[in-house]
Each structure stands twice: as structure tokens, then as C-alpha cells.
Amino acid sequence: MNENLWNDLDVEATLDAPIGALTWYKSGGHAEVLISPRSVEALQTLCQRFHESDIPMRVLGSGANLLVADDGVDGAVVRLNHSIFQEAHWHELDHGHPTRIGAGTDLMALVQESARRGLSGLSQLAGIPATIGGAIRMNAGGSYGDTAQSVHSIELLTTNGELRRMDAAKLDFGYRHCALPDGIVIAAHFNLRADDAVQIRAHVKEVFEYKKRTQPMADRSAGCMFKNPIDPSTGKRESAGRLIDLAGMKGKSVGGAFVSERHGNFIGLLAGGRANDVLALAFDVQQRVLDHSGIQLEREVVIWSQRGDVL
Ligand SMILES: Cc1cc2nc3c(=O)[nH]c(=O)nc-3n(C[C@H](O)[C@H](O)[C@H](O)COP(=O)(O)OP(=O)(O)OC[C@H]3O[C@@H](n4cnc5c(N)ncnc54)[C@H](O)[C@@H]3O)c2cc1C
């Protein structure tokens, strides 16, 4: 990789970076280079140069919905962990504007901070590990609601470095879905409303406790491996965890990877286990559910590998 692509820019770059270790699985391979830009302009120039040189560029959030295969990825991985991408402009609320939040901001911290300020709109996301960019891309959510319900608009740097503002309506948000064009979300604007702080905090607590009760939050995982599929016979969403359970896969393992006893849709990984164990077990689960119920599970977790990203 030609270091002149970033040497003159305000960025921090690490060659042969162990990005798998930065995911919630804490396993998986390296990227040719990991880059943390310190300004939007630096990121913009990076996008332009990588685009012109035809070098693949990916963006890493908090790695909570990501598996990096053991052979890693070619090209560059960008991480928005500099403070410039973690700013919140709360004052905009006073003027009736949506609140602008940098895409590298930690979602859990943001949920707490907005509750502390007596602002509602995000409490449905309590307990979900994410950056704002990752939460937008996945439309993170659960039984209490999703990210989309309070998004006003986003700021996106396209792959060739063009800065675009997109309204939420253009993003076609759906269940764990967002029609995000290729590029990097650098900020999101949220519609937050002044509300009763005590009630908001109580709601945050309720959502968080429900999550802790029903999901193995302490395991190394990427949350739900599969989306809840639509059952063709009823037209309704069926729980993937239930289908995995019915297919007899709870507790099954491959190497260090195991299907959680607590929640069949979580594939955990023991310390020292390999990312490819998770991949092999996920394929196995998919096949067994297909054999058992005739339903093809679609993966929710994003997988990065040398052979191209597995969809
Ligand atoms: C214990 C646990 C519990 C979980 N519970 C839930 C839950 O209840 N509900 C739920 O929906 N999810 C859940 N998840 C999954 C995960 O929290 C969400 O999918 C979250 O949105 C991932 O955000 P991230 O920043 O970690 O993204 P990453 O995992 O880092 O990336 C995911 C995808 O988003 C893209 N991306 C990241 N940042 C940007 C950006 N700035 N611009 C463009 N694309 C970007 C990445 O390129 C990748 O394609 C859970 C995960 C764990 C580990």
C-alpha cells in the first residue's frame, strides 16, 4: 500500500492493523491499513484518493455487528474515533433544529446523555452497542423501536469524497435495513423532544433490563446473527431464534463458536476461538433451519473477508 496516499493528511494510520480484535468477537484478521482521520477534510481527500486508485475502503464502527474473517481484508479501513466525529450539538435544539451527532459517537453514552438532559427520542435504543454510523447503517433497534424513528437526516461522504445531506425519507429505513448509498456517514441529525426526565430515565432502564434478561450480553458475539424472517405461510415475521431452537441447534458448536443456550440467534465465541469457526457454525445453522422449516435465514451480521464481503 502506497503510504503517500495519506502521509500528508491529518490522520493516524496503522499498517497491517489487527481489526478483528477491534470487533465484539475480538477475533479475526487484519486490514492493510487502518486510518483514523482527524478532520472531515482529511477524510474527504482520503476518499477521493482511494477512489481514484481503486483501493477498497470500509468503515468500522464499534464492531458490534461485524465479523472479520481470519484472512482479513485488503485495502483501507476507516474508523471515526477522533473527537471531531464524536461531537454533539445540543444547542441546536434551542433554535428548533434537530440535534447533530457525530457518527463516531457511542450510542449507549448518547442514550444516557440525552436522558440526563430530559430529551426523548433515543431511549428505545438503550443497551445496543453501536456508534451512530453503525446504528444508522443497520437501523439498530428491537422490541421497543428502532433508530429510524428519530432520524431527521444524515451527512454522508460518498466514496468519491462528495459531501451529501440526505433526509431520512430517502434512506428507506425498514427492519434492520437502510438504503444507504456507498460511503461514510459522518453525522446524523435527530429529532429529540424535551420531555419528563424521570419518565425517560425509567424507560431507558426498562428497555435495558429487558435486553439483559433476554440476551447474552456478556458473550463475545455480534448480537443476532440472522434477521427474523418472514414466514411465507403467515406473511408475518418469525423469530429466527425460535427456528434455530426448533432445528435443534441450541448449544451446538464448531471450534470455539457456539449457539447460545440463552438466545438461539446469538452465536458466541470463546476466548481464543477463530472468526472462521463462527462463519462455519452460521452456515451450519442456516442449512439446518432450511432443512427443518424450509425457511432461508438471511444474515444480519456483516462479514468482511478477502473473498469479498459475504452477504
Ligand atoms: C451484545 C450485543 C447486543 C446487540 N443487540 C442489538 C439489538 O438489540 N438490536 C440491534 O439492532 N443490534 C444489536 N446488536 C448489533 C449491533 O449492536 C448493531 O447492529 C449496531 O448498529 C452496530 O453498530 P457498530 O457501530 O458496531 O457497527 P459495526 O459493527 O462496526 O459495522 C456494521 C456495519 O455498519 C457499517 N458502518 C459503521 N459505521 C458506519 C458509518 N459511519 N458510515 C457508514 N457505514 C458504517 C460498517 O461498515 C458495517 O457494514 C447487538 C450486538 C451485540 C454485540
Side-chain angles (χ1 to χ4, degrees):
M1 176 84 68
N2 180 358
E3 295 183 35
N4 290 332
L5 286 166
W6 61 81
N7 264 349
D8 59 335
L9 299 178
D10 192 11
V11 302
E12 193 184 314
T14 311
L15 288 167
D16 192 24
I19 55 163
L22 297 175
T23 67
W24 275 63
Y25 272 121
K26 295 190 175 51
S27 182
H30 291 216
E32 273 185 87
V33 63
L34 174 66
I35 302 184
S36 294
R38 295 196 194 94
S39 71
V40 174
E41 293 71 28
L43 178 57
Q44 209 161 4
T45 310
L46 262 184
C47 288
Q48 284 157 359
R49 290 182 185 171
F50 279 93
H51 182 71
E52 280 157 16
S53 310
D54 214 13
I55 295 171
M57 198 179 202
R58 296 173 173 85
V59 54
L60 173 68
S62 72
N65 197 55
L66 187 65
L67 182 71
V68 180
D70 290 318
D71 57 357
V73 289
D74 55 352
V77 170
V78 166
R79 199 172 174 219
L80 304 181
N81 57 337
H82 188 269
S83 56
I84 193 80
F85 296 103
Q86 299 177 346
E87 288 174 349
H89 292 250
W90 302 103
H91 62 270
E92 291 173 349
L93 267 176
D94 302 337
H95 305 284
H97 296 300
T99 311
R100 181 186 189 276
I101 311 284
T105 305
D106 178 76
L107 176 65
M108 290 211 233
L110 181 69
V111 168
Q112 294 299 339
E113 179 59 16
S114 56
R116 199 186 65 75
R117 288 170 178 264
L119 295 170
S120 68
L122 296 171
S123 52
Q124 72 279 10
L125 306 176
I128 300 179
T131 58
I132 294 304
I136 296 279
R137 159 77 171 74
M138 302 309 304
N139 188 17
S143 316
Y144 289 84
D146 59 19
T147 309
Q149 67 192 63
S150 49
V151 175
H152 171 275
S153 55
I154 62 157
E155 291 169 40
L156 179 85
L157 264 186
T158 62
T159 43
N160 58 2
E162 184 199 333
L163 188 56
R164 281 170 66 183
R165 176 96 177 239
M166 292 183 74
D167 286 342
K170 286 263 161 60
L171 295 169
D172 190 28
F173 281 116
Y175 165 69
R176 299 299 85 78
H177 168 81
C178 168
L180 192 67
D182 285 346
I184 301 177
V185 177
I186 60 160
H189 298 249
F190 289 97
N191 291 315
L192 304 180
R193 296 169 308 280
D195 219 327
D196 181 345
V198 175
Q199 272 185 22
I200 299 170
R201 278 204 293 272
H203 192 237
V204 166
K205 190 158 177 269
E206 179 191 332
V207 177
F208 189 61
E209 305 252 296
Y210 171 79
K211 224 174 136 46
K212 266 203 316 194
R213 226 177 23 253
T214 54
Q215 298 179 358
M217 297 295 290
D219 287 347
R220 294 178 179 198
S221 80
C224 289
M225 180 54 69
F226 301 100
K227 295 185 181 184
N228 291 328
I230 293 184
D231 183 337
S233 61
T234 61
K236 291 194 178 135
R237 282 209 185 270
E238 165 68 284
S239 153
R242 202 177 82 85
L243 293 173
I244 292 165
D245 199 0
L246 289 173
M249 291 304 286
K250 250 192 186 172
K252 292 280 188 266
S253 62
V254 170
F258 60 93
V259 178
S260 167
E261 291 280 3
R262 184 113 168 260
H263 191 311
N265 202 6
F266 276 61
I267 296 186
L269 187 64
L270 299 173
R274 297 166 60 86
N276 288 8
D277 294 342
V278 177
L279 258 183
L281 184 55
F283 280 122
D284 204 6
V285 167
Q286 223 169 6
Q287 189 57 50
R288 295 295 178 92
V289 169
L290 184 61
D291 293 345
H292 185 268
S293 62
I295 292 179
Q296 178 76 49
L297 292 178
E298 182 193 344
R299 209 180 299 106
E300 179 173 324
V301 171
V302 175
I303 296 185
W304 289 352
S305 84
Q306 288 289 351
R307 288 169 299 283
D309 300 345
V310 185
L311 295 174

